[in-house]
Amino acid sequence: MDFTKLPSILTPDLGLLFWMLLAFLVVFFVLFKYGFPAIVNMVEGRKQYIDESLKKAHEASERLQNIKQEGEAILQEARDRQAQILKEATETRDAIVQKAQDQARNEGARLLSEAKAEIESEKQQAIRDIREQVADLSVQIAEKVLREKLSTDAEQMKMIERLLDDVTAAK
């Protein structure tokens, strides 16, 4: 293969090579002096930003975990409080029911004793009424019997003497 027939770009001569090397070194020096530090600073800044973001994400995750634990603790406390309130409500309800039952018993006993007293009073009144009626009837019957027995003067005198004898005998 004959290299002399190739285009000059593929087979540069020594002068072109020198200038290309010189241009490369100047570009490399400018990049090394100004470009690479800027790129390295950008990469470092990006790295710090990513590290800070990861650190913040980790802190946020820890805070979220703490918040979850606090939420669970608060929820458990609320459940405990709810159970306590329900227990107190049950005790209060039972106390109110017991008090109402006691009041009902007391009221029933009072009403029963009042009813018994009223019945006894009515019974006594009825007995008095019956006694009065029996006494009136007895007096009326005795009056009729005595009128019939003492219809004559002789019978009246006999009765008066007998009663006087009973009175004097008793003394």
Side-chain angles (χ1 to χ4, degrees):
M1 179 162 247
D2 187 16
F3 290 112
T4 56
K5 292 186 181 182
L6 291 172
S8 66
I9 189 110
L10 292 178
T11 59
D13 60 0
L14 195 56
L16 181 61
L17 219 82
F18 171 75
W19 290 111
M20 281 176 46
L21 182 63
L22 185 62
F24 176 74
L25 288 176
V26 169
V27 169
F28 184 75
F29 177 74
V30 170
L31 283 177
F32 184 76
K33 184 77 174 168
Y34 301 108
F36 289 144
I39 292 172
V40 168
N41 285 339
M42 286 176 44
V43 168
E44 285 295 320
R46 182 73 174 154
K47 182 181 177 233
Q48 285 178 345
Y49 175 75
I50 290 172
D51 288 343
E52 288 175 11
S53 296
L54 287 175
K55 183 179 173 186
K56 287 179 183 178
H58 183 67
E59 289 173 358
S61 174
E62 287 177 359
R63 275 192 245 146
L64 181 62
Q65 188 65 27
N66 289 339
I67 289 172
K68 282 183 182 179
Q69 289 174 353
E70 289 175 8
E72 289 174 7
I74 290 171
L75 187 60
Q76 185 61 37
E77 184 179 333
R79 286 181 185 143
D80 292 344
R81 182 70 179 140
Q82 178 186 18
Q84 181 183 2
I85 288 171
L86 288 175
K87 181 181 174 189
E88 289 173 0
T90 302
E91 290 172 356
T92 303
R93 181 202 63 201
D94 292 343
I96 289 171
V97 166
Q98 185 64 35
K99 185 177 178 182
Q101 288 175 344
D102 291 344
Q103 286 178 344
R105 278 190 209 104
N106 292 340
E107 184 68 18
R110 184 185 66 80
L111 290 175
L112 185 61
S113 65
E114 286 179 3
K116 284 181 180 179
E118 189 175 332
I119 289 171
E120 185 64 29
S121 171
E122 289 179 6
K123 177 181 167 186
Q124 294 299 325
Q125 182 65 34
I127 289 173
R128 273 185 257 134
D129 289 345
I130 290 173
R131 283 184 182 165
E132 285 178 13
Q133 290 175 2
V134 167
D136 286 344
L137 285 176
S138 297
V139 168
Q140 288 175 3
I141 291 173
E143 185 181 332
K144 286 183 182 181
V145 168
L146 283 176
R147 274 192 194 159
E148 207 174 288
K149 267 186 155 185
L150 301 175
S151 56
T152 64
D153 287 336
E155 288 175 358
Q156 286 178 3
M157 286 309 287
K158 199 179 191 181
M159 177 75 152
I160 290 172
E161 286 175 8
R162 194 180 68 206
L163 287 174
L164 285 174
D165 287 342
D166 286 344
V167 168
T168 55
K171 286 188 178 182

